Amino acid sequence: MRVTRFLKPFSVLMMVTLVTGCSTITQDQQFGDFEGQLQRGDIYQASSYAVEHTTPDPDTGNATDLLWSLQAGAVLRTQGSYQLSSQYFDDAEALIKAEHIKNSAKKVAGETASFLVKWL
């Protein structure tokens, strides 16, 4: 009986450790190449890598990954590709605005529901 009492928390702890460890490894693999290119001063290779990871929307061609859009914009700006850099920063701004609108709508809906529940 005592063994099962400690087994469940231990199992949960192991699962959390494995999940967080795997996500760290994945991030290191994804960002490691990019970070290494920047540290070596290979701006052109880093900008190509960042642009490849922006995952453009098939319909509009706009970037759909906020972090990589910001990375691409920053590296392209450093490289001197100002027009392309501005395009990625504009895509990032559009992604931020879309997320803000989505969250604002959820907040309004939640507050409205709370108000209705309180007064009904």
Side-chain angles (χ1 to χ4, degrees), residues 106-116:
K106 284 182 183 179
K107 184 178 178 182
V108 168
E111 289 176 0
T112 303
S114 174
F115 178 77
L116 291 174

Side-chain angles (χ1 to χ4, degrees), residues 9-77:
F10 179 73
S11 298
V12 170
L13 179 64
M14 289 303 296
M15 291 290 290
V16 169
T17 303
L18 287 172
V19 169
T20 57
C22 291
S23 69
T24 303
I25 290 170
T26 303
Q27 287 177 348
D28 284 346
Q29 289 172 346
Q30 187 176 21
F31 294 111
D33 292 340
F34 179 72
E35 294 289 329
Q37 291 163 352
L38 286 177
Q39 288 175 354
R40 288 189 306 271
D42 193 353
I43 300 295
Y44 294 100
Q45 196 67 17
S47 65
S48 295
Y49 190 85
V51 167
E52 287 174 17
H53 286 82
T54 58
T55 56
D57 185 297
D59 297 330
T60 63
N62 295 341
T64 59
D65 189 300
L66 177 60
L67 177 62
W68 283 112
S69 297
L70 292 169
Q71 294 284 29
V75 175
L76 287 165
R77 176 85 34 171

Side-chain angles (χ1 to χ4, degrees), residues 78-117:
T78 303
Q79 182 182 320
S81 301
Y82 300 115
Q83 190 172 13
L84 191 55
S85 170
S86 294
Q87 177 185 337
Y88 282 104
F89 282 136
D90 288 345
D91 289 351
E93 183 180 15
L95 290 168
I96 292 168
K97 284 181 180 178
E99 192 66 29
H100 178 71
I101 289 169
K102 184 173 80 172
N103 288 336
S104 295
K106 284 182 183 179
K107 184 178 178 182
V108 168
E111 289 176 0
T112 303
S114 174
F115 178 77
L116 291 174
V117 167

